[in-house]
Amino acid sequence: MIYFCSQKNRRAAVLQHPSLNGIDYLEVCTDDDDSSGDCGCGKRLQLTLLRDARNTTLTPSQIQITGGAADGQIQVVSISPGTVISPNVIGIELNQSGDFSPYTLRLLANPQTTDPPDGFDPQLSCVTFSFKAGCPTVGDCAPDNCCPPPANTPPDINYLAKDYGGFRQVMLDRIAVLSPGWTETHAADAGVALVETLAYVADHYSYQQDAVSTEAYLGTARSRISLRRHAKLVDYKLNEGCNARAWVFLKTTVDAFKVPQNTRIFPRIPGLPPMVQPKTQFESTLKNATAPAFSTMACAMLHAAHNQLNFYTWGDTNCCLPAGSTQATLEGIFPNLAAGMVLIFEEIIGPNTGNAADADPAKRWAVRLTNVRAQDYKSQPLSDPLNGKSIVQITWSVDDALPFPLCISSTSDQSVPLDNVSVARGNIVPVDQGVWLTDWEILETVPDAASTAPAQSTCTCNDTGPVDPPLPRYYPKLNQSPLTFARSYDSSAPASAFITPPASATPVLPIPEICVRDDTGKTWDRLDDLLSSDESDTVYVVEIEHDGSVFLRFGDNQYGAAPAAKSSFQAYYRTGNGTVGNVSRETLAHILISAENSGTQTPITEVRNPLPAGGGVDPETMEHIRQVAPFAFRSQLRAVTEDDYGTMAMHDPAIQQARGTFRWTGSWYTAFVSLEPLSDNLSTSLVKSTETRLNLLRMIGTDLAVEGAILVGLRIELEICVQADHFAADVQAAVQHLLITGNLCNGQPGLLNRNNFSFGQRIYTSPLIAAVQQVPGVASVTLLLLQRMDDPWIDGAAQGFLQMGRLEIARCDNDPNRLDRGILKLHMDGGK
């Protein structure tokens, strides 16, 4: 064939001729019957013509087959004319099959010429085929014959140009070559203006190229969003900060006054009343203040009787609630007081002077009530049977136990009895930093897809159709910042966990307070990333830049659905975040709320936060991300060594100590994990939960077993000589108190406290003797006995120490109910 043409019209033209014939296509068949349909890799050919082949007479010498890389020419053995069933098909029997090379079959008038037989078209008298066309192949075996592009001499261009001046000079130099007669240099010329415009655009794209290479590496990235995406590669989640929280006391003059959720609370501004109603002259003053504003986290119902709740002391004086208290008695009837409410205990007057200015502001504590008992077993109101005064008994959880003694009543320095030194405040409302927008913010319109011209028809084997334009990335920016990240409010959690959750609790990550919807009213879901979403998920991601700017990243129809072109979106969100919200006590003083249906103009007469706000955390800095994120993947997620099993087991806050040990059990190793729980006894539920957790971490081929630690009781006997000016009983009590309980004044645990003993610890005698010797009234001390209760033959007093085994923990609780946990015996001599 001389030409290669992308449009083959010859076949249709031959079919329109009344008598001209030609080859339509050729099939390679096996040696089986043709009707089997099993074609390929054989030595029988089926030549299909355009017209009836029953009257066509061809001899084997008129069919020439050329090609092939193997030795031996393929010869035609016999020819079968067309049949009634297949009138256009001629059967050709060959002496052998061919190899993988291309072959050509030609129809010749005779072996001495290249002309086709009479009645056959010259263009359709030959066909190229392969004997292995039916064999498996990885792609299309048809050649892709395309016209080569014209060879153009590349222009002499400086490809090192990277800025505006360089690009401008390159284009001017090129114009000088293409159009030597153009010598205009005036800035107002259209050509010069066009060159400078293109240079500006090129400079912009050059900067974008540099920015891409800069943001591609963790060490050089200048965008916090880039660092966030880098950190995601190692499963490191950025800390976007958290807003602050506080308890606010609202003093009311009415009963059942409702405070809706998201009611705004503001810091003190001199001259403004505690309660500010909307659409008044004071509202704009509050909103224009730069101090951080707060919002109520839950709906609250205020009652005038809860403004001050007095403790009932049953007629006694000089009373206090000791540290660790979890219950108290209130004087009065409070039908609206219920479990779940929060009270704040505070000292309101000085216990020595009776003056409010002398009250200790550190003596304030918030508790969440777990039980309110106002009736006895006869369903009668509780009262003091001595005087008939009504009382209410309240209880709160151990997590909210008082950390200090709280003075209830006292006698002043002038011998004046003082009641209600400390009181309980109700009407406590949880608030957190951040204010919602007054209305939905309209975001920028989704851009339309860029128009792309269809591809031009060129000399190619396959026509190239129009290329779909790329979908535009929708990446709007919020008008206000910083975006609020908040933890959800748990109305059943202890009050002590409201400001800062305890370390032992399951961490609750702050989430951004934002809602996004499209112009159809559909709400889109927020995700941490789009990697787990598909083209049908209407989701977006919140990304924070280093200056606090907030961007919303939407999908691209591969990871998340792409917003429709020219559609619009709206966002409703809160602003206010970080440590700026950790205001001190008595800072919040105003509430923005309407007095409708309250029956009075000012139902709220006082707004204050008795306790400081806390929990506010600033977003993670870029330098901290660079320093910490690369090591996030190094966190241990598998228990490999013995120590790993102990470390992983101690992630449960109910476990005080744990240690792992490998033991050969006959066929494989078993990891035995010895536990010392916080409670005195190892519960079955703790064992099962630990096994469940560690089974997910153990290595293949290692079994697991959880057991209790071996507790070894100690028998300790001391002979103490008491000084003559001290009572022996007092000195004995002081020694026992120091060794077992510890010093309550400085919080130091006793020397024999269970927290001071660990696995395999060696118990020395010298710390015992030194501690007792420092007790006032002790003249001298002698260690008579230091023994293991399960092995009394080892004399620890003589050798100076007792060595515990690797899985043993020493104990000396001196509990008469559990003598196996150790005995401390003191022999006192001398004294009064």
Side-chain angles (χ1 to χ4, degrees):
M1 182 176 292
I2 301 175
Y3 306 107
F4 172 79
C5 302
S6 59
Q7 300 295 333
K8 299 181 179 182
N9 303 321
R10 185 69 180 180
R11 180 180 181 276
V14 172
L15 286 174
Q16 293 177 1
H17 193 276
S19 60
L20 197 61
N21 204 347
I23 299 175
D24 193 3
Y25 59 89
L26 181 146
E27 292 182 287
V28 181
C29 303
T30 61
D31 296 333
D32 298 335
D33 186 73
D34 296 342
S35 61
S36 66
D38 186 10
C39 295
C41 302
K43 58 181 181 177
R44 183 173 176 80
L45 306 182
Q46 286 185 344
L47 185 65
T48 303
L49 303 180
L50 295 176
R51 299 185 185 280
D52 196 333
R54 287 177 290 181
N55 297 326
T56 302
T57 58
L58 292 175
T59 63
S61 62
Q62 291 180 290
I63 299 179
Q64 181 188 56
I65 298 178
T66 59
D71 296 336
Q73 184 69 26
I74 297 179
Q75 302 293 334
V76 177
V77 177
S78 63
I79 298 176
S80 302
T83 63
V84 178
I85 299 177
S86 301
N88 294 12
V89 179
I90 296 176
I92 302 174
E93 190 75 25
L94 306 178
N95 63 335
Q96 63 181 21
S97 180
D99 54 25
F100 285 90
S101 302
Y103 289 81
T104 301
L105 183 145
R106 297 179 184 275
L107 299 180
L108 305 175
N110 57 68
Q112 287 76 32
T113 183
T114 59
D115 295 335
D118 296 338
F120 277 85
D121 180 64
Q123 288 294 100
L124 301 179
S125 61
C126 68
V127 63
T128 301
F129 69 98
S130 172
F131 282 96
K132 308 299 182 182
C135 299
T137 180
V138 296
D140 191 359
C141 59
D144 188 7
N145 298 318
C146 302
C147 299
N152 296 326
T153 303
D156 186 12
I157 297 178
N158 179 17
Y159 291 98
L160 299 180
K162 288 292 292 179
D163 58 0
Y164 170 80
F167 290 127
R168 182 179 181 273
Q169 188 62 45
V170 165
M171 286 185 280
L172 291 176
D173 292 344
R174 184 60 181 165
I175 293 176
V177 174
L178 298 177
S179 181
W182 187 78
T183 59
E184 184 62 54
T185 59
H186 198 277
D189 181 73
V192 175
L194 179 60
V195 167
E196 292 179 348
T197 301
L198 294 176
Y200 168 79
V201 174
D203 180 64
H204 178 77
Y205 281 117
S206 177
Y207 174 81
Q208 190 173 18
Q209 288 177 342
D210 293 341
V212 169
S213 61
T214 300
E215 301 300 323
Y217 300 95
L218 186 70
T220 60
R222 294 175 293 180
S223 169
R224 189 174 183 273
I225 295 176
S226 299
L227 295 180
R228 178 185 184 274
R229 298 175 184 177
H230 284 301
K232 183 64 181 178
L233 297 177
V234 290
D235 289 337
Y236 180 79
K237 185 175 182 180
L238 265 62
N239 180 10
E240 301 293 356
C242 184
N243 64 344
R245 293 177 158 197
W247 294 112
V248 170
F249 166 66
L250 302 178
K251 185 177 181 180
T252 182
T253 58
V254 298
D255 283 329
F257 181 73
K258 184 178 181 180
V259 177
Q261 187 176 355
N262 296 325
T263 301
R264 301 187 185 187
I265 306 290
F266 296 89
R268 185 182 309 278
I269 297 180
L272 265 64
M275 177 178 171
V276 176
Q277 298 196 42
K279 301 180 181 180
T280 61
Q281 58 179 346
F282 298 124
E283 181 181 5
S284 60
T285 305
L286 285 177
K287 293 183 177 180
N288 294 333
T290 58
F294 288 70
S295 300
T296 57
M297 302 182 66
C299 180
M301 190 68 68
L302 308 183
H303 301 277
H306 295 176
N307 291 334
Q308 177 173 321
L309 299 91
N310 298 326
F311 293 101
Y312 188 63
T313 60
W314 302 90
D316 295 330
T317 58
N318 296 344
C319 301
C320 75
L321 282 175
S325 297
T326 58
Q327 58 182 353
T329 304
L330 302 178
E331 180 180 355
I333 300 176
F334 308 102
N336 297 308
L337 196 64
M341 290 185 175
V342 174
L343 302 181
I344 291 183
F345 303 156
E346 67 169 330
E347 188 175 284
I348 60 174
I349 61 175
N352 297 324
T353 64
N355 296 326
D358 296 330
D360 186 359
K363 296 296 181 68
R364 298 175 183 177
W365 188 250
V367 300
R368 187 181 298 277
L369 301 181
T370 58
N371 185 37
V372 176
R373 183 169 176 263
Q375 295 180 340
D376 58 13
Y377 71 99
K378 297 179 181 179
S379 299
Q380 298 296 321
L382 285 179
S383 62
D384 186 346
L386 188 62
N387 52 27
K389 290 184 177 181
S390 300
I391 57 175
V392 174
Q393 293 179 348
I394 58 175
T395 306
W396 54 93
S397 71
V398 177
D399 295 328
D400 288 338
L402 281 177
F404 48 77
L406 184 67
C407 182
I408 304 300
S409 61
S410 65
T411 302
S412 68
D413 297 338
Q414 289 76 27
S415 301
V416 177
L418 300 175
D419 296 327
N420 300 326
V421 174
S422 298
V423 298
R425 301 288 190 188
N427 296 331
I428 303 300
V429 182
V431 299
D432 66 342
Q433 177 191 3
V435 176
W436 289 96
L437 299 182
T438 56
D439 198 0
W440 288 79
E441 179 181 305
I442 300 177
L443 305 179
E444 61 185 74
T445 305
V446 180
D448 195 2
S451 59
T452 303
Q456 299 294 330
S457 296
T458 58
C459 184
T460 179
C461 53
N462 295 315
D463 290 339
T464 301
V467 179
D468 293 334
L471 290 174
R473 270 297 203 181
Y474 188 45
Y475 200 61
K477 177 183 177 181
L478 302 184
N479 293 333
Q480 301 185 36
S481 63
L483 182 64
T484 299
F485 281 77
R487 291 182 283 113
S488 60
Y489 176 61
D490 187 358
S491 59
S492 62
S496 57
F498 175 71
I499 301 298
T500 303
S504 59
T506 302
V508 180
L509 298 177
I511 60 175
E513 299 278 79
I514 183 172
C515 181
V516 176
R517 68 185 183 188
D518 56 23
D519 47 13
T520 64
K522 178 178 176 57
T523 301
W524 289 51
D525 298 325
R526 182 199 59 82
L527 296 179
D528 291 333
D529 60 76
L530 301 177
L531 299 178
S532 59
S533 57
D534 55 32
E535 67 278 2
S536 63
D537 296 330
T538 53
V539 294
Y540 65 95
V541 172
V542 175
E543 295 183 327
I544 313 294
E545 194 49 270
H546 59 82
D547 60 351
S549 302
V550 185
F551 296 86
L552 305 181
R553 179 161 57 89
F554 289 78
D556 57 356
N557 275 349
Q558 181 179 7
Y559 299 106
K566 297 184 179 181
S567 62
S568 61
F569 280 78
Q570 295 177 326
Y572 187 64
Y573 55 93
R574 293 176 71 189
T575 56
N577 202 53
T579 56
V580 67
N582 293 336
V583 298
S584 61
R585 54 178 174 260
E586 310 297 347
T587 299
L588 305 179
H590 307 286
I591 182 171
L592 182 63
I593 190 173
S594 175
E596 296 179 0
N597 303 323
S598 63
T600 178
Q601 285 291 92
T602 55
I604 298 179
T605 58
E606 184 179 3
V607 178
R608 52 186 287 261
N609 57 314
L611 299 172
V617 179
D618 288 330
E620 189 174 359
T621 63
M622 295 178 61
E623 185 59 30
H624 188 270
I625 298 171
R626 290 192 180 97
Q627 296 294 332
V628 178
F631 303 97
F633 70 95
R634 296 186 179 180
S635 58
Q636 179 69 293
L637 300 178
R638 279 284 179 267
V640 180
T641 65
E642 292 180 331
D643 293 338
D644 291 342
Y645 283 92
T647 302
M648 296 296 182
M650 289 181 62
H651 288 175
D652 190 337
I655 298 175
Q656 180 169 330
Q657 295 184 78
R659 172 166 287 188
T661 305
F662 285 154
R663 301 175 194 167
W664 181 258
T665 56
S667 299
W668 52 76
Y669 279 101
T670 299
F672 286 85
V673 183
S674 302
L675 305 180
E676 183 192 13
L678 286 177
S679 59
D680 289 337
N681 298 317
L682 181 62
S683 63
T684 304
S685 60
L686 182 59
V687 172
K688 291 183 177 179
S689 64
T690 304
E691 288 180 345
T692 301
R693 285 192 303 112
L694 298 185
N695 265 323
L696 301 176
L697 307 176
R698 64 182 177 88
M699 301 291 289
I700 296 177
T702 303
D703 208 347
L704 178 68
V706 177
E707 59 187 10
I710 303 174
L711 302 181
V712 178
L714 301 180
R715 181 187 297 273
I716 301 175
E717 293 189 14
L718 297 170
E719 183 177 6
I720 300 175
C721 181
V722 183
Q723 296 177 0
D725 57 344
H726 286 74
F727 290 99
D730 293 342
V731 174
Q732 181 178 1
V735 171
Q736 290 181 334
H737 179 76
L738 176 65
L739 295 181
I740 302 299
T741 306
N743 192 336
L744 293 179
C745 297
N746 59 16
Q748 186 71 24
L751 191 63
L752 300 180
N753 190 285
R754 58 175 295 185
N755 296 328
N756 292 333
F757 296 105
S758 60
F759 283 98
Q761 181 179 352
R762 178 176 290 185
I763 311 301
Y764 290 96
T765 61
S766 55
L768 285 170
I769 298 175
V772 176
Q773 188 66 60
Q774 294 178 3
V775 175
V778 175
S780 63
V781 56
T782 303
L783 181 62
L784 300 179
L785 201 61
L786 177 60
Q787 295 177 341
R788 295 170 55 114
M789 298 192 66
D790 60 347
D791 191 3
W793 307 110
I794 301 177
D795 190 355
Q799 64 181 10
F801 65 88
L802 277 181
Q803 180 63 49
M804 297 293 108
R806 184 176 181 275
L807 301 180
E808 294 179 339
I809 300 177
R811 294 287 290 270
C812 188
D813 297 345
N814 200 36
D815 185 356
N817 297 318
R818 294 297 302 270
L819 296 180
D820 59 319
R821 299 286 177 88
I823 299 174
L824 173 64
K825 190 173 183 179
L826 303 178
H827 300 278
M828 312 301 296
D829 190 13
K832 294 183 181 180

